[in-house]
Amino acid sequence: MLTNFLRNRRKQKLIAEIEENPRPAPESFVELVRLYREDGDFQTASRVAKRGAELYPDSERILQSRADMERVSRDLEKERLRQKIDSYPNPILYARLAELYKVDGEIEAAIRVCHAGISSFPSYGGTYLVLGEICVESSDFAGARVHLEKAAELDKYNYTALKLLAQVYMELTMPDRAARKLEEILYFAPGDE
């Protein structure tokens, strides 16, 4: 109980320092993030880390603290999405979960989620798009072509799929097809440079 009291008192002191001082010490942000994180208040910890990074964009400790909190937030979001998929699956959940795995460098998990999503919802283009992005990032342009063509077929107004598909066609030395995909984008986004 004494530990909690001292901990809360330290947090209050840090909060006051950050609120009252226009340029509080970077260490104050790092310590406050740590305290909130230890308390399990990840949302507040993320906000504090973000504010610290805005004030001190060159502070390696603050940037690391913010990156850690972003990772924790993504992990919590992944867990939430897995639970929602188990209870009430829909294609958007699969695509979002795969994107989060991809961002964290968990490529095999992202691919597994995409395949599960495609198996359950084969007519949703967003999951094919994520697979296409994974293929592009690993320079598998033939694989990217297959997935991106399917994404564009299922959603002819999918800007990202069309643009990425045009880039893939250029990599595969198919400039005529690339030009056609870019023309398709201009149909619904006429001012796009």
mmCIF file of all heavy atoms in Angstrom, residues 87-123:
data_model
loop_
_atom_site.group_PDB
_atom_site.id
_atom_site.type_symbol
_atom_site.label_atom_id
_atom_site.label_comp_id
_atom_site.label_asym_id
_atom_site.label_seq_id
_atom_site.Cartn_x
_atom_site.Cartn_y
_atom_site.Cartn_z
ATOM 1 N N SER A 87 -15.303 -14.263 -32.276
ATOM 2 C CA SER A 87 -16.715 -14.144 -31.905
ATOM 3 C C SER A 87 -17.617 -13.674 -33.054
ATOM 4 O O SER A 87 -18.759 -14.102 -33.157
ATOM 5 C CB SER A 87 -16.876 -13.214 -30.703
ATOM 6 O OG SER A 87 -16.432 -11.919 -31.015
ATOM 7 N N TYR A 88 -17.106 -12.783 -33.892
ATOM 8 C CA TYR A 88 -17.920 -12.246 -34.976
ATOM 9 C C TYR A 88 -17.012 -11.867 -36.147
ATOM 10 O O TYR A 88 -16.675 -10.695 -36.354
ATOM 11 C CB TYR A 88 -18.706 -11.016 -34.495
ATOM 12 C CG TYR A 88 -19.664 -10.482 -35.524
ATOM 13 C CD1 TYR A 88 -20.811 -11.182 -35.865
ATOM 14 C CD2 TYR A 88 -19.409 -9.284 -36.176
ATOM 15 C CE1 TYR A 88 -21.681 -10.698 -36.821
ATOM 16 C CE2 TYR A 88 -20.275 -8.790 -37.136
ATOM 17 C CZ TYR A 88 -21.413 -9.501 -37.445
ATOM 18 O OH TYR A 88 -22.270 -9.030 -38.400
ATOM 19 N N PRO A 89 -16.593 -12.858 -36.912
ATOM 20 C CA PRO A 89 -15.637 -12.584 -37.993
ATOM 21 C C PRO A 89 -16.226 -11.725 -39.107
ATOM 22 O O PRO A 89 -17.397 -11.847 -39.429
ATOM 23 C CB PRO A 89 -15.284 -13.984 -38.510
ATOM 24 C CG PRO A 89 -16.416 -14.848 -38.107
ATOM 25 C CD PRO A 89 -17.010 -14.247 -36.862
ATOM 26 N N ASN A 90 -15.390 -10.846 -39.616
ATOM 27 C CA ASN A 90 -15.727 -10.121 -40.840
ATOM 28 C C ASN A 90 -14.415 -9.823 -41.557
ATOM 29 O O ASN A 90 -13.349 -9.832 -40.947
ATOM 30 C CB ASN A 90 -16.596 -8.882 -40.563
ATOM 31 C CG ASN A 90 -15.839 -7.690 -40.038
ATOM 32 O OD1 ASN A 90 -14.892 -7.223 -40.664
ATOM 33 N ND2 ASN A 90 -16.251 -7.188 -38.895
ATOM 34 N N PRO A 91 -14.469 -9.568 -42.849
ATOM 35 C CA PRO A 91 -13.240 -9.462 -43.637
ATOM 36 C C PRO A 91 -12.345 -8.292 -43.255
ATOM 37 O O PRO A 91 -11.117 -8.391 -43.340
ATOM 38 C CB PRO A 91 -13.739 -9.327 -45.074
ATOM 39 C CG PRO A 91 -15.138 -8.816 -44.956
ATOM 40 C CD PRO A 91 -15.677 -9.391 -43.681
ATOM 41 N N ILE A 92 -12.928 -7.210 -42.813
ATOM 42 C CA ILE A 92 -12.128 -6.038 -42.458
ATOM 43 C C ILE A 92 -11.227 -6.345 -41.266
ATOM 44 O O ILE A 92 -10.078 -5.898 -41.206
ATOM 45 C CB ILE A 92 -13.046 -4.825 -42.179
ATOM 46 C CG1 ILE A 92 -13.794 -4.447 -43.460
ATOM 47 C CG2 ILE A 92 -12.248 -3.642 -41.648
ATOM 48 C CD1 ILE A 92 -14.910 -3.449 -43.250
ATOM 49 N N LEU A 93 -11.735 -7.147 -40.328
ATOM 50 C CA LEU A 93 -10.942 -7.516 -39.152
ATOM 51 C C LEU A 93 -9.699 -8.306 -39.559
ATOM 52 O O LEU A 93 -8.608 -8.087 -39.030
ATOM 53 C CB LEU A 93 -11.783 -8.325 -38.162
ATOM 54 C CG LEU A 93 -13.000 -7.631 -37.559
ATOM 55 C CD1 LEU A 93 -13.792 -8.602 -36.699
ATOM 56 C CD2 LEU A 93 -12.583 -6.417 -36.757
ATOM 57 N N TYR A 94 -9.866 -9.246 -40.491
ATOM 58 C CA TYR A 94 -8.723 -10.035 -40.959
ATOM 59 C C TYR A 94 -7.670 -9.134 -41.601
ATOM 60 O O TYR A 94 -6.480 -9.260 -41.320
ATOM 61 C CB TYR A 94 -9.174 -11.092 -41.976
ATOM 62 C CG TYR A 94 -9.837 -12.294 -41.375
ATOM 63 C CD1 TYR A 94 -11.217 -12.421 -41.371
ATOM 64 C CD2 TYR A 94 -9.083 -13.333 -40.821
ATOM 65 C CE1 TYR A 94 -11.838 -13.542 -40.834
ATOM 66 C CE2 TYR A 94 -9.695 -14.460 -40.288
ATOM 67 C CZ TYR A 94 -11.069 -14.552 -40.297
ATOM 68 O OH TYR A 94 -11.680 -15.661 -39.760
ATOM 69 N N ALA A 95 -8.110 -8.241 -42.468
ATOM 70 C CA ALA A 95 -7.163 -7.358 -43.159
ATOM 71 C C ALA A 95 -6.437 -6.457 -42.166
ATOM 72 O O ALA A 95 -5.214 -6.277 -42.261
ATOM 73 C CB ALA A 95 -7.893 -6.527 -44.209
ATOM 74 N N ARG A 96 -7.160 -5.913 -41.218
ATOM 75 C CA ARG A 96 -6.537 -5.025 -40.216
ATOM 76 C C ARG A 96 -5.535 -5.784 -39.357
ATOM 77 O O ARG A 96 -4.443 -5.297 -39.078
ATOM 78 C CB ARG A 96 -7.626 -4.380 -39.347
ATOM 79 C CG ARG A 96 -7.086 -3.494 -38.254
ATOM 80 C CD ARG A 96 -6.433 -2.240 -38.823
ATOM 81 N NE ARG A 96 -5.878 -1.462 -37.730
ATOM 82 C CZ ARG A 96 -4.666 -0.933 -37.717
ATOM 83 N NH1 ARG A 96 -3.886 -1.051 -38.769
ATOM 84 N NH2 ARG A 96 -4.230 -0.261 -36.689
ATOM 85 N N LEU A 97 -5.890 -6.998 -38.934
ATOM 86 C CA LEU A 97 -4.975 -7.811 -38.132
ATOM 87 C C LEU A 97 -3.723 -8.150 -38.938
ATOM 88 O O LEU A 97 -2.596 -8.044 -38.421
ATOM 89 C CB LEU A 97 -5.681 -9.087 -37.655
ATOM 90 C CG LEU A 97 -4.865 -10.026 -36.782
ATOM 91 C CD1 LEU A 97 -4.342 -9.329 -35.532
ATOM 92 C CD2 LEU A 97 -5.708 -11.256 -36.404
ATOM 93 N N ALA A 98 -3.888 -8.500 -40.187
ATOM 94 C CA ALA A 98 -2.728 -8.803 -41.041
ATOM 95 C C ALA A 98 -1.834 -7.572 -41.193
ATOM 96 O O ALA A 98 -0.600 -7.687 -41.163
ATOM 97 C CB ALA A 98 -3.199 -9.301 -42.407
ATOM 98 N N GLU A 99 -2.434 -6.396 -41.352
ATOM 99 C CA GLU A 99 -1.640 -5.164 -41.461
ATOM 100 C C GLU A 99 -0.805 -4.929 -40.203
ATOM 101 O O GLU A 99 0.360 -4.536 -40.290
ATOM 102 C CB GLU A 99 -2.556 -3.958 -41.688
ATOM 103 C CG GLU A 99 -3.139 -3.872 -43.068
ATOM 104 C CD GLU A 99 -4.163 -2.749 -43.205
ATOM 105 O OE1 GLU A 99 -4.525 -2.119 -42.193
ATOM 106 O OE2 GLU A 99 -4.605 -2.525 -44.335
ATOM 107 N N LEU A 100 -1.411 -5.159 -39.043
ATOM 108 C CA LEU A 100 -0.672 -4.960 -37.789
ATOM 109 C C LEU A 100 0.498 -5.932 -37.681
ATOM 110 O O LEU A 100 1.591 -5.552 -37.251
ATOM 111 C CB LEU A 100 -1.611 -5.096 -36.589
ATOM 112 C CG LEU A 100 -2.617 -3.965 -36.417
ATOM 113 C CD1 LEU A 100 -3.625 -4.304 -35.323
ATOM 114 C CD2 LEU A 100 -1.925 -2.654 -36.114
ATOM 115 N N TYR A 101 0.270 -7.187 -38.051
ATOM 116 C CA TYR A 101 1.371 -8.150 -38.049
ATOM 117 C C TYR A 101 2.474 -7.697 -39.011
ATOM 118 O O TYR A 101 3.655 -7.788 -38.710
ATOM 119 C CB TYR A 101 0.885 -9.547 -38.439
ATOM 120 C CG TYR A 101 0.247 -10.320 -37.321
ATOM 121 C CD1 TYR A 101 -1.034 -10.832 -37.445
ATOM 122 C CD2 TYR A 101 0.934 -10.575 -36.133
ATOM 123 C CE1 TYR A 101 -1.627 -11.555 -36.424
ATOM 124 C CE2 TYR A 101 0.356 -11.302 -35.107
ATOM 125 C CZ TYR A 101 -0.925 -11.793 -35.258
ATOM 126 O OH TYR A 101 -1.502 -12.513 -34.249
ATOM 127 N N LYS A 102 2.065 -7.200 -40.163
ATOM 128 C CA LYS A 102 3.042 -6.748 -41.170
ATOM 129 C C LYS A 102 3.875 -5.591 -40.631
ATOM 130 O O LYS A 102 5.102 -5.576 -40.772
ATOM 131 C CB LYS A 102 2.308 -6.342 -42.452
ATOM 132 C CG LYS A 102 3.215 -5.945 -43.600
ATOM 133 C CD LYS A 102 2.438 -5.752 -44.888
ATOM 134 C CE LYS A 102 1.671 -4.494 -44.939
ATOM 135 N NZ LYS A 102 2.355 -3.310 -45.377
ATOM 136 N N VAL A 103 3.224 -4.635 -39.987
ATOM 137 C CA VAL A 103 3.926 -3.478 -39.418
ATOM 138 C C VAL A 103 4.966 -3.921 -38.396
ATOM 139 O O VAL A 103 6.064 -3.363 -38.321
ATOM 140 C CB VAL A 103 2.920 -2.493 -38.779
ATOM 141 C CG1 VAL A 103 3.620 -1.479 -37.902
ATOM 142 C CG2 VAL A 103 2.114 -1.785 -39.853
ATOM 143 N N ASP A 104 4.627 -4.958 -37.622
ATOM 144 C CA ASP A 104 5.544 -5.442 -36.591
ATOM 145 C C ASP A 104 6.578 -6.428 -37.138
ATOM 146 O O ASP A 104 7.346 -7.007 -36.369
ATOM 147 C CB ASP A 104 4.761 -6.091 -35.443
ATOM 148 C CG ASP A 104 4.089 -5.057 -34.557
ATOM 149 O OD1 ASP A 104 4.537 -3.882 -34.576
ATOM 150 O OD2 ASP A 104 3.126 -5.403 -33.848
ATOM 151 N N GLY A 105 6.585 -6.642 -38.444
ATOM 152 C CA GLY A 105 7.574 -7.534 -39.044
ATOM 153 C C GLY A 105 7.248 -9.011 -38.876
ATOM 154 O O GLY A 105 8.080 -9.872 -39.143
ATOM 155 N N GLU A 106 6.037 -9.323 -38.461
ATOM 156 C CA GLU A 106 5.605 -10.714 -38.283
ATOM 157 C C GLU A 106 4.933 -11.165 -39.584
ATOM 158 O O GLU A 106 3.722 -11.385 -39.648
ATOM 159 C CB GLU A 106 4.662 -10.822 -37.093
ATOM 160 C CG GLU A 106 5.298 -10.386 -35.779
ATOM 161 C CD GLU A 106 4.308 -10.365 -34.630
ATOM 162 O OE1 GLU A 106 3.735 -11.431 -34.325
ATOM 163 O OE2 GLU A 106 4.111 -9.280 -34.049
ATOM 164 N N ILE A 107 5.751 -11.330 -40.598
ATOM 165 C CA ILE A 107 5.253 -11.565 -41.958
ATOM 166 C C ILE A 107 4.521 -12.899 -42.077
ATOM 167 O O ILE A 107 3.469 -12.980 -42.711
ATOM 168 C CB ILE A 107 6.406 -11.469 -42.981
ATOM 169 C CG1 ILE A 107 7.103 -10.096 -42.877
ATOM 170 C CG2 ILE A 107 5.921 -11.735 -44.391
ATOM 171 C CD1 ILE A 107 6.192 -8.901 -43.041
ATOM 172 N N GLU A 108 5.066 -13.949 -41.491
ATOM 173 C CA GLU A 108 4.408 -15.256 -41.585
ATOM 174 C C GLU A 108 3.019 -15.209 -40.952
ATOM 175 O O GLU A 108 2.065 -15.767 -41.486
ATOM 176 C CB GLU A 108 5.268 -16.344 -40.941
ATOM 177 C CG GLU A 108 6.563 -16.630 -41.694
ATOM 178 C CD GLU A 108 6.330 -17.013 -43.145
ATOM 179 O OE1 GLU A 108 5.404 -17.814 -43.435
ATOM 180 O OE2 GLU A 108 7.062 -16.507 -44.024
ATOM 181 N N ALA A 109 2.904 -14.543 -39.802
ATOM 182 C CA ALA A 109 1.600 -14.408 -39.146
ATOM 183 C C ALA A 109 0.654 -13.591 -40.026
ATOM 184 O O ALA A 109 -0.538 -13.928 -40.151
ATOM 185 C CB ALA A 109 1.756 -13.755 -37.779
ATOM 186 N N ALA A 110 1.160 -12.545 -40.653
ATOM 187 C CA ALA A 110 0.334 -11.722 -41.547
ATOM 188 C C ALA A 110 -0.184 -12.557 -42.708
ATOM 189 O O ALA A 110 -1.366 -12.476 -43.066
ATOM 190 C CB ALA A 110 1.132 -10.527 -42.056
ATOM 191 N N ILE A 111 0.680 -13.368 -43.279
ATOM 192 C CA ILE A 111 0.278 -14.214 -44.410
ATOM 193 C C ILE A 111 -0.772 -15.234 -43.966
ATOM 194 O O ILE A 111 -1.769 -15.454 -44.668
ATOM 195 C CB ILE A 111 1.516 -14.896 -45.040
ATOM 196 C CG1 ILE A 111 2.393 -13.841 -45.713
ATOM 197 C CG2 ILE A 111 1.104 -15.990 -46.025
ATOM 198 C CD1 ILE A 111 3.759 -14.338 -46.162
ATOM 199 N N ARG A 112 -0.570 -15.847 -42.794
ATOM 200 C CA ARG A 112 -1.552 -16.817 -42.284
ATOM 201 C C ARG A 112 -2.924 -16.161 -42.087
ATOM 202 O O ARG A 112 -3.950 -16.724 -42.458
ATOM 203 C CB ARG A 112 -1.084 -17.419 -40.960
ATOM 204 C CG ARG A 112 -0.091 -18.548 -41.102
ATOM 205 C CD ARG A 112 0.091 -19.323 -39.813
ATOM 206 N NE ARG A 112 0.400 -18.491 -38.660
ATOM 207 C CZ ARG A 112 1.619 -18.086 -38.317
ATOM 208 N NH1 ARG A 112 2.659 -18.434 -39.048
ATOM 209 N NH2 ARG A 112 1.811 -17.339 -37.238
ATOM 210 N N VAL A 113 -2.930 -14.956 -41.522
ATOM 211 C CA VAL A 113 -4.193 -14.250 -41.300
ATOM 212 C C VAL A 113 -4.850 -13.912 -42.635
ATOM 213 O O VAL A 113 -6.069 -14.053 -42.793
ATOM 214 C CB VAL A 113 -3.978 -12.987 -40.435
ATOM 215 C CG1 VAL A 113 -5.217 -12.108 -40.422
ATOM 216 C CG2 VAL A 113 -3.584 -13.369 -39.019
ATOM 217 N N CYS A 114 -4.058 -13.482 -43.604
ATOM 218 C CA CYS A 114 -4.612 -13.170 -44.932
ATOM 219 C C CYS A 114 -5.258 -14.408 -45.555
ATOM 220 O O CYS A 114 -6.378 -14.336 -46.077
ATOM 221 C CB CYS A 114 -3.525 -12.633 -45.861
ATOM 222 S SG CYS A 114 -3.050 -10.929 -45.536
ATOM 223 N N HIS A 115 -4.563 -15.533 -45.482
ATOM 224 C CA HIS A 115 -5.118 -16.758 -46.068
ATOM 225 C C HIS A 115 -6.399 -17.182 -45.351
ATOM 226 O O HIS A 115 -7.363 -17.614 -45.996
ATOM 227 C CB HIS A 115 -4.086 -17.877 -46.074
ATOM 228 C CG HIS A 115 -3.010 -17.686 -47.089
ATOM 229 N ND1 HIS A 115 -3.251 -17.591 -48.443
ATOM 230 C CD2 HIS A 115 -1.676 -17.551 -46.946
ATOM 231 C CE1 HIS A 115 -2.118 -17.412 -49.098
ATOM 232 N NE2 HIS A 115 -1.136 -17.375 -48.205
ATOM 233 N N ALA A 116 -6.431 -17.031 -44.026
ATOM 234 C CA ALA A 116 -7.644 -17.355 -43.274
ATOM 235 C C ALA A 116 -8.779 -16.406 -43.677
ATOM 236 O O ALA A 116 -9.928 -16.838 -43.857
ATOM 237 C CB ALA A 116 -7.377 -17.265 -41.769
ATOM 238 N N GLY A 117 -8.457 -15.129 -43.842
ATOM 239 C CA GLY A 117 -9.458 -14.152 -44.253
ATOM 240 C C GLY A 117 -9.976 -14.431 -45.652
ATOM 241 O O GLY A 117 -11.191 -14.360 -45.902
ATOM 242 N N ILE A 118 -9.091 -14.767 -46.555
ATOM 243 C CA ILE A 118 -9.493 -15.061 -47.938
ATOM 244 C C ILE A 118 -10.327 -16.335 -47.980
ATOM 245 O O ILE A 118 -11.311 -16.421 -48.719
ATOM 246 C CB ILE A 118 -8.253 -15.159 -48.846
ATOM 247 C CG1 ILE A 118 -7.674 -13.752 -49.061
ATOM 248 C CG2 ILE A 118 -8.592 -15.825 -50.172
ATOM 249 C CD1 ILE A 118 -6.313 -13.730 -49.722
ATOM 250 N N SER A 119 -9.949 -17.303 -47.169
ATOM 251 C CA SER A 119 -10.715 -18.548 -47.110
ATOM 252 C C SER A 119 -12.143 -18.296 -46.625
ATOM 253 O O SER A 119 -13.097 -18.859 -47.153
ATOM 254 C CB SER A 119 -10.004 -19.529 -46.172
ATOM 255 O OG SER A 119 -10.785 -20.679 -45.978
ATOM 256 N N SER A 120 -12.287 -17.422 -45.632
ATOM 257 C CA SER A 120 -13.609 -17.126 -45.077
ATOM 258 C C SER A 120 -14.385 -16.104 -45.903
ATOM 259 O O SER A 120 -15.617 -16.167 -45.978
ATOM 260 C CB SER A 120 -13.467 -16.590 -43.653
ATOM 261 O OG SER A 120 -12.878 -17.547 -42.811
ATOM 262 N N PHE A 121 -13.675 -15.148 -46.484
ATOM 263 C CA PHE A 121 -14.316 -14.052 -47.233
ATOM 264 C C PHE A 121 -13.570 -13.817 -48.548
ATOM 265 O O PHE A 121 -12.853 -12.828 -48.695
ATOM 266 C CB PHE A 121 -14.310 -12.764 -46.390
ATOM 267 C CG PHE A 121 -15.026 -12.898 -45.079
ATOM 268 C CD1 PHE A 121 -14.323 -13.182 -43.916
ATOM 269 C CD2 PHE A 121 -16.400 -12.749 -45.004
ATOM 270 C CE1 PHE A 121 -14.971 -13.313 -42.703
ATOM 271 C CE2 PHE A 121 -17.063 -12.877 -43.801
ATOM 272 C CZ PHE A 121 -16.358 -13.168 -42.637
ATOM 273 N N PRO A 122 -13.749 -14.716 -49.517
ATOM 274 C CA PRO A 122 -12.963 -14.617 -50.763
ATOM 275 C C PRO A 122 -13.300 -13.418 -51.646
ATOM 276 O O PRO A 122 -12.543 -13.108 -52.559
ATOM 277 C CB PRO A 122 -13.287 -15.931 -51.490
ATOM 278 C CG PRO A 122 -14.589 -16.379 -50.917
ATOM 279 C CD PRO A 122 -14.635 -15.868 -49.505
ATOM 280 N N SER A 123 -14.381 -12.721 -51.361
ATOM 281 C CA SER A 123 -14.748 -11.592 -52.228
ATOM 282 C C SER A 123 -14.386 -10.239 -51.622
ATOM 283 O O SER A 123 -14.858 -9.209 -52.107
ATOM 284 C CB SER A 123 -16.248 -11.643 -52.554
ATOM 285 O OG SER A 123 -16.998 -11.537 -51.363
#
